[in-house]
Amino acid sequence: MDKILVHGNRRLKGTVRISGSKNSALPILAAALLTREPCVISRVPDLSDIHYMLTILSELGCEVERASGVVTVKAENVTTEAPYEIVRKMRASVCILGPLLGREKEATVSLPGGCIIGDRPIDLHLRGFEALGAAVRVQSGNVKVLAPELRGSTISLRGKFGSTVLGTDNVMMAAVLAEGTTVIDGAAEEPEVVDLANFLIAMGAKIEGAGTRRIIIEGVKELHGAEHEVIPDRIEAGTFLVAAAICGDGVTLTRVEPGHLTAVLDSLSQAGFQVETDKNRITISPNGTRRPLKLDALPYPSFPTDMQAQMCALLATTDGISVVTDNVFPQRFMHVSELKRMGANIELQGGTAIIHGVEKLSGAPVMASDLRASAALVLAGLQAEGVTEVNRVYHIDRGYESIDDKLNSLGAEIERLKV
Ligand code: EPU
């Protein structure tokens, strides 16, 4: 298990290139199951979650090739049951259900359990499949969906915490091959849903309204192979912006989509940083005083839950009182106890963190608990006095392509130890 040593008190400056989006690439790779013809997906980031997805696709019978960011998937003949041993490692495996149901009219995967960022049910996904005519059976830890035929329907994916991103993806992937028209109300509006819809459209699907709350899908008989480039990872970009806010003297992100980061950029401006955007670039620089924030993580286009932990790391050393609420995953605050071990003054009240900014954090051994929490600990380490030892960094490798090398290229001093 690798660990990362972050030497604090370094300044960051320069340019960093943003990778393709993990959360777009995962369902897009799964969507290749919808056709027998080859699909060529480019800008696929080199991450362990992507590796799990490619392994699942291979186990299902797909031919998978990968060459520097370009993945070709040919799903000529597929089985419909995903192996537990791989599926259990990644919750996003659940997004193979939709395409398998669409194409083969049945699919079985292990039910995802709870995870460290809270109870993560898939009731909305299943409700959507049922509305399309599928029967859902939960047995021996597996969920099986099957339908003699799929029929378009009107489906609401509104849940207690808003819509569901992978649920919208799943229902959309099943509905593209259903008979007739499907209307998804309360659809997730995230850019990753739009990216998947664009890929499906390139495969011959008829979809309107992706990126809004109402998606309309006209079922087609079959889909064909397609090529697609994955959008830039807005959460990786946001993480580098926060790193640059914490200890940067002017950092530019390239190959990024500023339009996907409006809420994050607004928050950073409010917090006192100068943010300049160009077509595919964002530059962030210090601009005098840092200000505390009141932040509410909500579904897109509001501030993303996937950036909440990183912002806590910034606000931990921002003078004044900041209040950060996560309305999507109210239990996603595992980073708080670790930040406190580094000297942060944070009080948790339910799904809200009340952060009293301190002048300085101090390096400490800390434990990564999930992907974004581990990123937050690395960012905290960048500004700490001394060395921060981040353990269990496999979490970070699930979602950040070479984060240590990229930060080092900007002037950080991060070592990775093989233990
Ligand atoms: N929810 C339900 N029922 C469902 C599905 C979701 O109640 O059937 C609830 C969840 O418990 C949560 C809220 O709805 O409170 C939103 O969850 P959502 O389904 O949108 O999450 P997801 O699709 O499983 C994706 C990302 C997450 C990101 C969330 C929210 C992928 C692979 N994962 O998960 O990314 O936090 O959307 O934006 O796309 C990450 O990258 O670190 C990560 C966790």
Side-chain angles (χ1 to χ4, degrees):
M1 232 184 276
D2 293 4
K3 61 168 83 164
I4 276 180
L5 298 184
V6 185
H7 297 266
N9 266 335
R10 303 292 190 277
R11 304 294 301 171
L12 306 183
K13 197 173 173 58
T15 299
V16 65
R17 195 171 155 155
I18 296 307
S19 301
S21 159
K22 163 182 86 81
N23 289 349
S24 259
L26 288 170
I28 285 173
L29 289 166
L33 287 165
L34 282 161
T35 174
R36 297 171 152 269
E37 294 181 9
C39 293
V40 182
I41 328 280
S42 54
R43 214 175 168 191
V44 177
D46 187 7
L47 302 169
S48 53
D49 270 13
I50 297 291
H51 174 75
Y52 294 139
M53 179 55 81
L54 297 182
T55 309
I56 292 170
L57 293 177
S58 301
E59 294 281 334
L60 288 171
C62 302
E63 285 169 40
V64 176
E65 276 171 38
R66 175 177 197 145
S68 62
V70 180
V71 174
T72 306
V73 180
K74 186 168 177 227
E76 196 162 3
N77 296 301
V78 290
T79 57
T80 58
E81 196 168 328
Y84 170 72
E85 266 319 300
I86 308 157
V87 167
R88 75 180 173 86
K89 294 187 178 154
M90 183 179 65
R91 195 185 174 279
S93 325
V94 74
C95 68
I96 61 170
L97 277 175
L100 284 177
L101 180 65
R103 172 169 159 180
E104 299 292 324
K105 307 292 176 270
E106 70 169 75
T108 306
V109 298
S110 320
L111 260 183
C115 71
I116 202 85
I117 65 177
D119 181 28
R120 296 181 71 186
I122 57 162
D123 56 310
L124 296 169
H125 303 225
L126 300 180
R127 194 207 283 174
F129 296 145
E130 281 174 334
L132 292 173
V136 174
R137 283 193 211 133
V138 177
Q139 212 171 24
S140 318
N142 291 326
V143 58
K144 178 167 184 146
V145 288
L146 75 167
E149 53 173 18
L150 292 177
R151 289 201 169 274
S153 172
T154 295
I155 300 164
S156 167
L157 289 181
R158 271 186 212 97
K160 196 164 73 169
F161 300 106
S163 188
T164 161
V165 177
L166 289 177
T168 303
D169 291 346
N170 246 338
V171 174
M172 192 161 66
M173 289 190 278
V176 288
L177 291 179
E179 182 84 28
T181 308
T182 298
V183 178
I184 305 179
D185 274 326
E189 298 169 272
E190 270 68 3
E192 294 76 18
V193 173
V194 179
D195 203 24
L196 171 65
N198 286 337
F199 176 54
L200 293 169
I201 292 167
M203 295 171 82
K206 292 192 178 152
I207 303 173
E208 278 174 22
T212 72
R213 298 231 172 128
R214 170 173 272 222
I215 300 180
I216 301 169
I217 302 151
E218 198 68 55
V220 295
K221 284 266 170 291
E222 61 178 7
L223 297 182
H224 51 75
E227 291 186 14
H228 184 80
E229 184 179 283
V230 172
I231 57 170
D233 195 313
R234 65 190 167 103
I235 306 300
E236 187 203 17
T239 304
F240 277 95
L241 288 171
V242 174
I246 282 174
C247 57
D249 292 319
V251 170
T252 298
L253 275 46
T254 60
R255 293 199 78 190
V256 67
E257 176 49 69
H260 293 167
L261 280 149
T262 307
V264 173
L265 297 179
D266 287 351
S267 301
L268 288 167
S269 302
Q270 261 181 47
F273 298 93
Q274 188 182 331
V275 177
E276 286 164 89
T277 61
D278 200 351
K279 199 165 165 277
N280 299 112
R281 294 165 79 89
I282 304 174
T283 300
I284 179 164
S285 323
N287 194 17
T289 332
R290 274 158 66 161
R291 286 188 289 270
L293 287 181
K294 178 172 182 330
L295 264 188
D296 280 291
L298 285 161
Y300 190 83
S302 295
F303 191 87
T305 170
D306 290 344
M307 284 300 303
Q308 177 263 107
Q310 301 88 314
M311 285 303 268
C312 286
L314 168 68
L315 298 171
T317 54
T318 301
D319 196 24
I321 300 176
S322 295
V323 180
V324 178
T325 302
D326 197 323
N327 298 288
V328 180
F329 294 115
Q331 299 169 46
R332 195 180 203 176
F333 282 101
M334 299 298 285
H335 44 286
V336 165
S337 50
E338 300 301 298
L339 290 173
K340 282 166 88 166
R341 300 188 62 247
M342 298 176 72
N345 181 355
I346 308 177
E347 216 181 299
L348 260 188
Q349 289 180 6
T352 297
I354 299 164
I355 306 173
H356 301 259
V358 296
E359 206 174 306
K360 203 79 201 140
L361 297 178
S362 57
V366 287
M367 198 70 89
S369 55
D370 73 74
L371 169 57
R372 308 305 170 187
S374 37
L377 297 177
V378 171
L379 301 192
L382 290 173
Q383 59 188 323
E385 209 68 71
V387 180
T388 300
E389 179 183 313
V390 185
N391 291 286
R392 296 201 189 152
V393 295
Y394 57 85
H395 286 294
I396 213 164
D397 296 331
R398 298 184 56 176
Y400 290 93
E401 208 174 37
S402 321
I403 192 172
D404 36 352
D405 294 341
K406 283 187 176 182
L407 284 169
N408 285 344
S409 76
L410 292 172
E413 194 182 338
I414 300 178
E415 293 172 74
R416 184 180 279 257
L417 303 183
K418 304 258 173 223
V419 210

